[in-house]
Each structure stands twice: as C-alpha cells, then as structure tokens.
Amino acid sequence: MGKVNKTEREWQRSLSADEYRITRQKGTEPAFTGQYWNTKTDGVYLCRCCGTPLFSSDTKYDSGSGWPSFFRPLDASNIDEHSDETHGMRRTEITCHNCDAHLGHVFEDGPEPTGLRYCVNSASLMLEAKQHSDDETYP
C-alpha cells in the first residue's frame, strides 16, 4: 500500500470532528470513553483513516488505562514512532505509516512477551470483527 495523501479538507470530509481532531491534529479522547477501550471482540483493528491493519485482538489486553492497549502490532512496519515532548512529558508517539494518522503512544510498561503497551485512541481505529464459522462455534 502506498502513502495516502489527502488535503486537510479531504480528511475533514471523510472523518467525524472527533476522529479528525484525534487522528490529524494529534488529539486524545478522554480515558474510558472510546468505542474500543473495553471491547473483547475477536478481529483486526484497522487504521480509521486508511484501513491499514494495525493490531490483532489476540494482542489486546486490559491495561487499566482506559484506552485500547496492545502488546504488539500486527506488522511493525505499519507503525511509525516519533519522539513526543509535549505536555511536559517524554513519550513515543505512534502513527500509521501509510497515512500519518496519530494513533496514540507506546510505553515500556506492558506485559510479556514484549513489555510494550501500545496505547491507542479508539477514534483512530476500526474493528474488523472476525466471522466465526460453524466449525469454530460447534466442535
């Protein structure tokens, strides 16, 4: 997938006001309010802006932070990391490699096997739920 290039006006037309503020202007949704912070549905989390697969529900866990948290991305090359020293803190921002959407931050306080916590805004994600076959449902 190549780099997605849209004008700010095109992003504004394709996203809700909150999605635009968070993904394009590096905003943050309040803790415990996003659509996916407590979701346990099986599937793949995609970038809200471009549909790039970012995280699997298999790596999602309850970090207690109020945001969806994952210990590993599906493909590390789909996520870029940037130094973020805003708000008087030193953090590592994560963005979508294909469209530069702000996703959230990665911290080194996650569970094994990686020790990482990818803390992501729900507004930056779309969940593509896994369709269960009858074979999976009825053994």
Side-chain angles (χ1 to χ4, degrees), residues 60-95:
K60 188 173 188 282
Y61 71 99
D62 182 3
S63 67
S65 68
W67 289 278
S69 297
F70 306 86
F71 61 79
R72 169 187 301 126
L74 267 174
D75 182 342
S77 68
N78 287 340
I79 295 180
D80 293 334
E81 296 185 3
H82 314 274
S83 177
D84 177 1
E85 296 185 11
T86 60
H87 308 293
M89 296 181 274
R90 281 195 154 150
R91 302 178 291 176
T92 302
E93 177 194 15
I94 53 174
T95 60

PDB file of all heavy atoms in Angstrom, residues 60-95:
ATOM      1  N   LYS A  60      -4.544  -7.663  22.349  1.00  0.00           N
ATOM      2  CA  LYS A  60      -5.218  -6.622  23.134  1.00  0.00           C
ATOM      3  C   LYS A  60      -5.338  -7.103  24.578  1.00  0.00           C
ATOM      4  O   LYS A  60      -5.579  -8.277  24.835  1.00  0.00           O
ATOM      5  CB  LYS A  60      -6.600  -6.340  22.555  1.00  0.00           C
ATOM      6  CG  LYS A  60      -7.309  -5.141  23.161  1.00  0.00           C
ATOM      7  CD  LYS A  60      -8.600  -4.852  22.388  1.00  0.00           C
ATOM      8  CE  LYS A  60      -9.234  -3.568  22.831  1.00  0.00           C
ATOM      9  NZ  LYS A  60      -9.952  -3.683  24.092  1.00  0.00           N
ATOM     10  N   TYR A  61      -5.177  -6.188  25.517  1.00  0.00           N
ATOM     11  CA  TYR A  61      -5.306  -6.542  26.930  1.00  0.00           C
ATOM     12  C   TYR A  61      -5.819  -5.347  27.711  1.00  0.00           C
ATOM     13  O   TYR A  61      -5.792  -4.203  27.226  1.00  0.00           O
ATOM     14  CB  TYR A  61      -3.968  -7.046  27.494  1.00  0.00           C
ATOM     15  CG  TYR A  61      -2.926  -5.963  27.647  1.00  0.00           C
ATOM     16  CD1 TYR A  61      -2.696  -5.368  28.884  1.00  0.00           C
ATOM     17  CD2 TYR A  61      -2.184  -5.521  26.562  1.00  0.00           C
ATOM     18  CE1 TYR A  61      -1.751  -4.373  29.039  1.00  0.00           C
ATOM     19  CE2 TYR A  61      -1.239  -4.522  26.709  1.00  0.00           C
ATOM     20  CZ  TYR A  61      -1.023  -3.948  27.938  1.00  0.00           C
ATOM     21  OH  TYR A  61      -0.095  -2.952  28.091  1.00  0.00           O
ATOM     22  N   ASP A  62      -6.305  -5.579  28.904  1.00  0.00           N
ATOM     23  CA  ASP A  62      -6.808  -4.512  29.760  1.00  0.00           C
ATOM     24  C   ASP A  62      -5.657  -3.946  30.569  1.00  0.00           C
ATOM     25  O   ASP A  62      -5.197  -4.555  31.532  1.00  0.00           O
ATOM     26  CB  ASP A  62      -7.906  -5.049  30.683  1.00  0.00           C
ATOM     27  CG  ASP A  62      -8.501  -3.967  31.575  1.00  0.00           C
ATOM     28  OD1 ASP A  62      -8.122  -2.784  31.450  1.00  0.00           O
ATOM     29  OD2 ASP A  62      -9.357  -4.306  32.402  1.00  0.00           O
ATOM     30  N   SER A  63      -5.198  -2.778  30.160  1.00  0.00           N
ATOM     31  CA  SER A  63      -4.075  -2.133  30.847  1.00  0.00           C
ATOM     32  C   SER A  63      -4.541  -1.305  32.037  1.00  0.00           C
ATOM     33  O   SER A  63      -3.715  -0.831  32.817  1.00  0.00           O
ATOM     34  CB  SER A  63      -3.312  -1.231  29.874  1.00  0.00           C
ATOM     35  OG  SER A  63      -4.133  -0.125  29.500  1.00  0.00           O
ATOM     36  N   GLY A  64      -5.853  -1.096  32.145  1.00  0.00           N
ATOM     37  CA  GLY A  64      -6.376  -0.252  33.215  1.00  0.00           C
ATOM     38  C   GLY A  64      -6.280   1.225  32.892  1.00  0.00           C
ATOM     39  O   GLY A  64      -6.652   2.064  33.707  1.00  0.00           O
ATOM     40  N   SER A  65      -5.781   1.567  31.699  1.00  0.00           N
ATOM     41  CA  SER A  65      -5.558   2.972  31.331  1.00  0.00           C
ATOM     42  C   SER A  65      -6.808   3.655  30.790  1.00  0.00           C
ATOM     43  O   SER A  65      -6.881   4.878  30.771  1.00  0.00           O
ATOM     44  CB  SER A  65      -4.450   3.069  30.278  1.00  0.00           C
ATOM     45  OG  SER A  65      -4.888   2.496  29.046  1.00  0.00           O
ATOM     46  N   GLY A  66      -7.782   2.874  30.316  1.00  0.00           N
ATOM     47  CA  GLY A  66      -8.981   3.463  29.732  1.00  0.00           C
ATOM     48  C   GLY A  66      -8.919   3.624  28.226  1.00  0.00           C
ATOM     49  O   GLY A  66      -9.844   4.168  27.623  1.00  0.00           O
ATOM     50  N   TRP A  67      -7.834   3.182  27.614  1.00  0.00           N
ATOM     51  CA  TRP A  67      -7.688   3.193  26.158  1.00  0.00           C
ATOM     52  C   TRP A  67      -7.385   1.776  25.691  1.00  0.00           C
ATOM     53  O   TRP A  67      -6.815   0.978  26.452  1.00  0.00           O
ATOM     54  CB  TRP A  67      -6.538   4.111  25.726  1.00  0.00           C
ATOM     55  CG  TRP A  67      -6.813   5.559  25.899  1.00  0.00           C
ATOM     56  CD1 TRP A  67      -7.510   6.372  25.039  1.00  0.00           C
ATOM     57  CD2 TRP A  67      -6.394   6.396  26.975  1.00  0.00           C
ATOM     58  NE1 TRP A  67      -7.558   7.648  25.538  1.00  0.00           N
ATOM     59  CE2 TRP A  67      -6.876   7.693  26.737  1.00  0.00           C
ATOM     60  CE3 TRP A  67      -5.669   6.153  28.144  1.00  0.00           C
ATOM     61  CZ2 TRP A  67      -6.651   8.750  27.599  1.00  0.00           C
ATOM     62  CZ3 TRP A  67      -5.444   7.203  29.008  1.00  0.00           C
ATOM     63  CH2 TRP A  67      -5.932   8.487  28.728  1.00  0.00           C
ATOM     64  N   PRO A  68      -7.746   1.452  24.447  1.00  0.00           N
ATOM     65  CA  PRO A  68      -7.360   0.144  23.920  1.00  0.00           C
ATOM     66  C   PRO A  68      -5.839  -0.005  23.999  1.00  0.00           C
ATOM     67  O   PRO A  68      -5.102   0.904  23.604  1.00  0.00           O
ATOM     68  CB  PRO A  68      -7.818   0.180  22.462  1.00  0.00           C
ATOM     69  CG  PRO A  68      -8.837   1.259  22.399  1.00  0.00           C
ATOM     70  CD  PRO A  68      -8.463   2.256  23.459  1.00  0.00           C
ATOM     71  N   SER A  69      -5.395  -1.135  24.518  1.00  0.00           N
ATOM     72  CA  SER A  69      -3.960  -1.371  24.676  1.00  0.00           C
ATOM     73  C   SER A  69      -3.590  -2.709  24.060  1.00  0.00           C
ATOM     74  O   SER A  69      -4.311  -3.694  24.211  1.00  0.00           O
ATOM     75  CB  SER A  69      -3.581  -1.358  26.156  1.00  0.00           C
ATOM     76  OG  SER A  69      -3.831  -0.082  26.715  1.00  0.00           O
ATOM     77  N   PHE A  70      -2.448  -2.730  23.391  1.00  0.00           N
ATOM     78  CA  PHE A  70      -1.959  -3.913  22.695  1.00  0.00           C
ATOM     79  C   PHE A  70      -0.487  -4.086  23.044  1.00  0.00           C
ATOM     80  O   PHE A  70       0.222  -3.107  23.242  1.00  0.00           O
ATOM     81  CB  PHE A  70      -2.088  -3.739  21.174  1.00  0.00           C
ATOM     82  CG  PHE A  70      -3.478  -3.374  20.723  1.00  0.00           C
ATOM     83  CD1 PHE A  70      -3.892  -2.050  20.695  1.00  0.00           C
ATOM     84  CD2 PHE A  70      -4.370  -4.355  20.322  1.00  0.00           C
ATOM     85  CE1 PHE A  70      -5.173  -1.707  20.285  1.00  0.00           C
ATOM     86  CE2 PHE A  70      -5.651  -4.032  19.907  1.00  0.00           C
ATOM     87  CZ  PHE A  70      -6.059  -2.702  19.885  1.00  0.00           C
ATOM     88  N   PHE A  71      -0.017  -5.342  23.097  1.00  0.00           N
ATOM     89  CA  PHE A  71       1.402  -5.544  23.404  1.00  0.00           C
ATOM     90  C   PHE A  71       2.258  -5.714  22.162  1.00  0.00           C
ATOM     91  O   PHE A  71       3.479  -5.768  22.261  1.00  0.00           O
ATOM     92  CB  PHE A  71       1.626  -6.695  24.399  1.00  0.00           C
ATOM     93  CG  PHE A  71       1.165  -8.055  23.964  1.00  0.00           C
ATOM     94  CD1 PHE A  71       1.928  -8.824  23.091  1.00  0.00           C
ATOM     95  CD2 PHE A  71      -0.021  -8.579  24.447  1.00  0.00           C
ATOM     96  CE1 PHE A  71       1.521 -10.084  22.712  1.00  0.00           C
ATOM     97  CE2 PHE A  71      -0.434  -9.850  24.081  1.00  0.00           C
ATOM     98  CZ  PHE A  71       0.336 -10.597  23.197  1.00  0.00           C
ATOM     99  N   ARG A  72       1.625  -5.742  20.974  1.00  0.00           N
ATOM    100  CA  ARG A  72       2.408  -5.880  19.734  1.00  0.00           C
ATOM    101  C   ARG A  72       1.528  -5.485  18.548  1.00  0.00           C
ATOM    102  O   ARG A  72       0.359  -5.835  18.509  1.00  0.00           O
ATOM    103  CB  ARG A  72       2.833  -7.334  19.582  1.00  0.00           C
ATOM    104  CG  ARG A  72       3.405  -7.691  18.237  1.00  0.00           C
ATOM    105  CD  ARG A  72       3.671  -9.184  18.027  1.00  0.00           C
ATOM    106  NE  ARG A  72       4.590  -9.688  19.024  1.00  0.00           N
ATOM    107  CZ  ARG A  72       4.338 -10.737  19.808  1.00  0.00           C
ATOM    108  NH1 ARG A  72       3.209 -11.401  19.723  1.00  0.00           N
ATOM    109  NH2 ARG A  72       5.236 -11.131  20.671  1.00  0.00           N
ATOM    110  N   PRO A  73       2.106  -4.793  17.564  1.00  0.00           N
ATOM    111  CA  PRO A  73       1.352  -4.519  16.333  1.00  0.00           C
ATOM    112  C   PRO A  73       1.323  -5.764  15.444  1.00  0.00           C
ATOM    113  O   PRO A  73       2.149  -6.672  15.608  1.00  0.00           O
ATOM    114  CB  PRO A  73       2.140  -3.388  15.666  1.00  0.00           C
ATOM    115  CG  PRO A  73       3.517  -3.512  16.202  1.00  0.00           C
ATOM    116  CD  PRO A  73       3.413  -4.133  17.561  1.00  0.00           C
ATOM    117  N   LEU A  74       0.383  -5.804  14.523  1.00  0.00           N
ATOM    118  CA  LEU A  74       0.337  -6.905  13.549  1.00  0.00           C
ATOM    119  C   LEU A  74       1.605  -6.940  12.715  1.00  0.00           C
ATOM    120  O   LEU A  74       2.187  -7.985  12.485  1.00  0.00           O
ATOM    121  CB  LEU A  74      -0.859  -6.725  12.607  1.00  0.00           C
ATOM    122  CG  LEU A  74      -2.140  -7.410  12.972  1.00  0.00           C
ATOM    123  CD1 LEU A  74      -3.254  -7.013  12.028  1.00  0.00           C
ATOM    124  CD2 LEU A  74      -1.984  -8.911  12.999  1.00  0.00           C
ATOM    125  N   ASP A  75       2.012  -5.781  12.240  1.00  0.00           N
ATOM    126  CA  ASP A  75       3.207  -5.638  11.403  1.00  0.00           C
ATOM    127  C   ASP A  75       3.883  -4.329  11.806  1.00  0.00           C
ATOM    128  O   ASP A  75       3.326  -3.250  11.567  1.00  0.00           O
ATOM    129  CB  ASP A  75       2.807  -5.621   9.930  1.00  0.00           C
ATOM    130  CG  ASP A  75       3.983  -5.513   8.976  1.00  0.00           C
ATOM    131  OD1 ASP A  75       5.097  -5.122   9.404  1.00  0.00           O
ATOM    132  OD2 ASP A  75       3.797  -5.806   7.782  1.00  0.00           O
ATOM    133  N   ALA A  76       5.030  -4.415  12.421  1.00  0.00           N
ATOM    134  CA  ALA A  76       5.715  -3.224  12.929  1.00  0.00           C
ATOM    135  C   ALA A  76       5.993  -2.196  11.840  1.00  0.00           C
ATOM    136  O   ALA A  76       6.071  -0.994  12.124  1.00  0.00           O
ATOM    137  CB  ALA A  76       7.012  -3.621  13.620  1.00  0.00           C
ATOM    138  N   SER A  77       6.092  -2.633  10.596  1.00  0.00           N
ATOM    139  CA  SER A  77       6.367  -1.672   9.516  1.00  0.00           C
ATOM    140  C   SER A  77       5.150  -0.789   9.200  1.00  0.00           C
ATOM    141  O   SER A  77       5.286   0.205   8.493  1.00  0.00           O
ATOM    142  CB  SER A  77       6.837  -2.399   8.250  1.00  0.00           C
ATOM    143  OG  SER A  77       5.790  -3.160   7.684  1.00  0.00           O
ATOM    144  N   ASN A  78       3.986  -1.116   9.750  1.00  0.00           N
ATOM    145  CA  ASN A  78       2.792  -0.290   9.532  1.00  0.00           C
ATOM    146  C   ASN A  78       2.654   0.829  10.555  1.00  0.00           C
ATOM    147  O   ASN A  78       1.736   1.642  10.466  1.00  0.00           O
ATOM    148  CB  ASN A  78       1.525  -1.150   9.551  1.00  0.00           C
ATOM    149  CG  ASN A  78       1.385  -1.984   8.301  1.00  0.00           C
ATOM    150  OD1 ASN A  78       1.991  -1.689   7.279  1.00  0.00           O
ATOM    151  ND2 ASN A  78       0.596  -3.036   8.376  1.00  0.00           N
ATOM    152  N   ILE A  79       3.561   0.856  11.531  1.00  0.00           N
ATOM    153  CA  ILE A  79       3.511   1.867  12.586  1.00  0.00           C
ATOM    154  C   ILE A  79       4.849   2.582  12.679  1.00  0.00           C
ATOM    155  O   ILE A  79       5.896   1.947  12.740  1.00  0.00           O
ATOM    156  CB  ILE A  79       3.150   1.217  13.934  1.00  0.00           C
ATOM    157  CG1 ILE A  79       1.724   0.664  13.856  1.00  0.00           C
ATOM    158  CG2 ILE A  79       3.290   2.216  15.076  1.00  0.00           C
ATOM    159  CD1 ILE A  79       1.247  -0.006  15.103  1.00  0.00           C
ATOM    160  N   ASP A  80       4.786   3.909  12.668  1.00  0.00           N
ATOM    161  CA  ASP A  80       5.987   4.727  12.826  1.00  0.00           C
ATOM    162  C   ASP A  80       6.017   5.287  14.243  1.00  0.00           C
ATOM    163  O   ASP A  80       4.968   5.546  14.841  1.00  0.00           O
ATOM    164  CB  ASP A  80       6.004   5.875  11.814  1.00  0.00           C
ATOM    165  CG  ASP A  80       6.164   5.393  10.384  1.00  0.00           C
ATOM    166  OD1 ASP A  80       6.741   4.311  10.166  1.00  0.00           O
ATOM    167  OD2 ASP A  80       5.700   6.111   9.464  1.00  0.00           O
ATOM    168  N   GLU A  81       7.225   5.480  14.770  1.00  0.00           N
ATOM    169  CA  GLU A  81       7.408   6.032  16.107  1.00  0.00           C
ATOM    170  C   GLU A  81       8.120   7.373  16.013  1.00  0.00           C
ATOM    171  O   GLU A  81       9.023   7.542  15.208  1.00  0.00           O
ATOM    172  CB  GLU A  81       8.221   5.068  16.973  1.00  0.00           C
ATOM    173  CG  GLU A  81       7.527   3.750  17.214  1.00  0.00           C
ATOM    174  CD  GLU A  81       8.281   2.837  18.174  1.00  0.00           C
ATOM    175  OE1 GLU A  81       9.333   3.259  18.716  1.00  0.00           O
ATOM    176  OE2 GLU A  81       7.811   1.712  18.388  1.00  0.00           O
ATOM    177  N   HIS A  82       7.673   8.323  16.858  1.00  0.00           N
ATOM    178  CA  HIS A  82       8.230   9.674  16.866  1.00  0.00           C
ATOM    179  C   HIS A  82       8.401  10.134  18.309  1.00  0.00           C
ATOM    180  O   HIS A  82       7.552   9.848  19.156  1.00  0.00           O
ATOM    181  CB  HIS A  82       7.289  10.661  16.161  1.00  0.00           C
ATOM    182  CG  HIS A  82       6.761  10.174  14.852  1.00  0.00           C
ATOM    183  ND1 HIS A  82       7.432  10.341  13.667  1.00  0.00           N
ATOM    184  CD2 HIS A  82       5.626   9.497  14.541  1.00  0.00           C
ATOM    185  CE1 HIS A  82       6.726   9.797  12.688  1.00  0.00           C
ATOM    186  NE2 HIS A  82       5.635   9.282  13.190  1.00  0.00           N
ATOM    187  N   SER A  83       9.450  10.873  18.561  1.00  0.00           N
ATOM    188  CA  SER A  83       9.646  11.465  19.874  1.00  0.00           C
ATOM    189  C   SER A  83       8.579  12.530  20.109  1.00  0.00           C
ATOM    190  O   SER A  83       8.291  13.342  19.230  1.00  0.00           O
ATOM    191  CB  SER A  83      11.038  12.092  19.957  1.00  0.00           C
ATOM    192  OG  SER A  83      11.212  12.719  21.202  1.00  0.00           O
ATOM    193  N   ASP A  84       7.974  12.515  21.291  1.00  0.00           N
ATOM    194  CA  ASP A  84       6.916  13.467  21.640  1.00  0.00           C
ATOM    195  C   ASP A  84       7.235  14.055  23.010  1.00  0.00           C
ATOM    196  O   ASP A  84       7.210  13.343  24.013  1.00  0.00           O
ATOM    197  CB  ASP A  84       5.569  12.740  21.664  1.00  0.00           C
ATOM    198  CG  ASP A  84       4.409  13.634  22.081  1.00  0.00           C
ATOM    199  OD1 ASP A  84       4.609  14.835  22.343  1.00  0.00           O
ATOM    200  OD2 ASP A  84       3.277  13.109  22.144  1.00  0.00           O
ATOM    201  N   GLU A  85       7.550  15.335  23.038  1.00  0.00           N
ATOM    202  CA  GLU A  85       7.876  16.003  24.301  1.00  0.00           C
ATOM    203  C   GLU A  85       6.847  17.059  24.655  1.00  0.00           C
ATOM    204  O   GLU A  85       7.142  18.012  25.377  1.00  0.00           O
ATOM    205  CB  GLU A  85       9.282  16.582  24.220  1.00  0.00           C
ATOM    206  CG  GLU A  85      10.330  15.493  24.075  1.00  0.00           C
ATOM    207  CD  GLU A  85      11.755  15.992  24.104  1.00  0.00           C
ATOM    208  OE1 GLU A  85      11.982  17.170  24.441  1.00  0.00           O
ATOM    209  OE2 GLU A  85      12.646  15.188  23.785  1.00  0.00           O
ATOM    210  N   THR A  86       5.601  16.875  24.191  1.00  0.00           N
ATOM    211  CA  THR A  86       4.540  17.822  24.505  1.00  0.00           C
ATOM    212  C   THR A  86       4.015  17.587  25.919  1.00  0.00           C
ATOM    213  O   THR A  86       4.234  16.535  26.514  1.00  0.00           O
ATOM    214  CB  THR A  86       3.366  17.688  23.506  1.00  0.00           C
ATOM    215  OG1 THR A  86       2.856  16.354  23.581  1.00  0.00           O
ATOM    216  CG2 THR A  86       3.805  18.000  22.090  1.00  0.00           C
ATOM    217  N   HIS A  87       3.316  18.573  26.441  1.00  0.00           N
ATOM    218  CA  HIS A  87       2.668  18.491  27.757  1.00  0.00           C
ATOM    219  C   HIS A  87       3.653  18.191  28.881  1.00  0.00           C
ATOM    220  O   HIS A  87       3.297  17.571  29.881  1.00  0.00           O
ATOM    221  CB  HIS A  87       1.540  17.458  27.750  1.00  0.00           C
ATOM    222  CG  HIS A  87       0.552  17.655  26.642  1.00  0.00           C
ATOM    223  ND1 HIS A  87      -0.283  18.743  26.583  1.00  0.00           N
ATOM    224  CD2 HIS A  87       0.303  16.917  25.530  1.00  0.00           C
ATOM    225  CE1 HIS A  87      -1.023  18.659  25.488  1.00  0.00           C
ATOM    226  NE2 HIS A  87      -0.679  17.567  24.829  1.00  0.00           N
ATOM    227  N   GLY A  88       4.920  18.587  28.717  1.00  0.00           N
ATOM    228  CA  GLY A  88       5.924  18.402  29.750  1.00  0.00           C
ATOM    229  C   GLY A  88       6.325  16.952  29.988  1.00  0.00           C
ATOM    230  O   GLY A  88       6.847  16.616  31.042  1.00  0.00           O
ATOM    231  N   MET A  89       6.071  16.085  29.002  1.00  0.00           N
ATOM    232  CA  MET A  89       6.394  14.663  29.145  1.00  0.00           C
ATOM    233  C   MET A  89       7.300  14.219  28.000  1.00  0.00           C
ATOM    234  O   MET A  89       7.324  14.839  26.950  1.00  0.00           O
ATOM    235  CB  MET A  89       5.112  13.812  29.101  1.00  0.00           C
ATOM    236  CG  MET A  89       4.165  14.064  30.232  1.00  0.00           C
ATOM    237  SD  MET A  89       2.704  13.001  30.108  1.00  0.00           S
ATOM    238  CE  MET A  89       1.676  13.988  29.023  1.00  0.00           C
ATOM    239  N   ARG A  90       7.997  13.132  28.224  1.00  0.00           N
ATOM    240  CA  ARG A  90       8.772  12.466  27.172  1.00  0.00           C
ATOM    241  C   ARG A  90       8.061  11.164  26.850  1.00  0.00           C
ATOM    242  O   ARG A  90       7.986  10.268  27.699  1.00  0.00           O
ATOM    243  CB  ARG A  90      10.180  12.167  27.637  1.00  0.00           C
ATOM    244  CG  ARG A  90      11.076  13.342  27.605  1.00  0.00           C
ATOM    245  CD  ARG A  90      12.486  12.855  27.730  1.00  0.00           C
ATOM    246  NE  ARG A  90      13.352  13.826  27.094  1.00  0.00           N
ATOM    247  CZ  ARG A  90      14.576  14.046  27.454  1.00  0.00           C
ATOM    248  NH1 ARG A  90      15.107  13.338  28.423  1.00  0.00           N
ATOM    249  NH2 ARG A  90      15.296  14.944  26.835  1.00  0.00           N
ATOM    250  N   ARG A  91       7.536  11.095  25.625  1.00  0.00           N
ATOM    251  CA  ARG A  91       6.795   9.903  25.222  1.00  0.00           C
ATOM    252  C   ARG A  91       7.178   9.549  23.789  1.00  0.00           C
ATOM    253  O   ARG A  91       7.846  10.323  23.105  1.00  0.00           O
ATOM    254  CB  ARG A  91       5.283  10.149  25.272  1.00  0.00           C
ATOM    255  CG  ARG A  91       4.781  10.574  26.634  1.00  0.00           C
ATOM    256  CD  ARG A  91       3.302  10.845  26.631  1.00  0.00           C
ATOM    257  NE  ARG A  91       3.001  12.045  25.846  1.00  0.00           N
ATOM    258  CZ  ARG A  91       1.778  12.493  25.601  1.00  0.00           C
ATOM    259  NH1 ARG A  91       0.728  11.841  26.060  1.00  0.00           N
ATOM    260  NH2 ARG A  91       1.579  13.585  24.898  1.00  0.00           N
ATOM    261  N   THR A  92       6.708   8.383  23.353  1.00  0.00           N
ATOM    262  CA  THR A  92       6.901   7.961  21.973  1.00  0.00           C
ATOM    263  C   THR A  92       5.534   7.888  21.306  1.00  0.00           C
ATOM    264  O   THR A  92       4.707   7.033  21.661  1.00  0.00           O
ATOM    265  CB  THR A  92       7.614   6.603  21.895  1.00  0.00           C
ATOM    266  OG1 THR A  92       8.874   6.710  22.557  1.00  0.00           O
ATOM    267  CG2 THR A  92       7.830   6.187  20.454  1.00  0.00           C
ATOM    268  N   GLU A  93       5.302   8.804  20.386  1.00  0.00           N
ATOM    269  CA  GLU A  93       4.050   8.825  19.629  1.00  0.00           C
ATOM    270  C   GLU A  93       4.087   7.719  18.580  1.00  0.00           C
ATOM    271  O   GLU A  93       5.139   7.423  18.014  1.00  0.00           O
ATOM    272  CB  GLU A  93       3.882  10.175  18.932  1.00  0.00           C
ATOM    273  CG  GLU A  93       2.637  10.250  18.067  1.00  0.00           C
ATOM    274  CD  GLU A  93       2.613  11.434  17.116  1.00  0.00           C
ATOM    275  OE1 GLU A  93       3.680  12.066  16.894  1.00  0.00           O
ATOM    276  OE2 GLU A  93       1.534  11.707  16.578  1.00  0.00           O
ATOM    277  N   ILE A  94       2.923   7.124  18.305  1.00  0.00           N
ATOM    278  CA  ILE A  94       2.814   6.164  17.211  1.00  0.00           C
ATOM    279  C   ILE A  94       1.831   6.697  16.180  1.00  0.00           C
ATOM    280  O   ILE A  94       0.791   7.264  16.524  1.00  0.00           O
ATOM    281  CB  ILE A  94       2.403   4.744  17.691  1.00  0.00           C
ATOM    282  CG1 ILE A  94       1.149   4.773  18.547  1.00  0.00           C
ATOM    283  CG2 ILE A  94       3.559   4.090  18.425  1.00  0.00           C
ATOM    284  CD1 ILE A  94       0.611   3.384  18.926  1.00  0.00           C
ATOM    285  N   THR A  95       2.203   6.543  14.896  1.00  0.00           N
ATOM    286  CA  THR A  95       1.360   6.967  13.793  1.00  0.00           C
ATOM    287  C   THR A  95       1.270   5.848  12.762  1.00  0.00           C
ATOM    288  O   THR A  95       2.135   4.972  12.700  1.00  0.00           O
ATOM    289  CB  THR A  95       1.911   8.238  13.107  1.00  0.00           C
ATOM    290  OG1 THR A  95       3.222   7.963  12.604  1.00  0.00           O
ATOM    291  CG2 THR A  95       1.957   9.429  14.059  1.00  0.00           C
TER     292      THR A  95
END
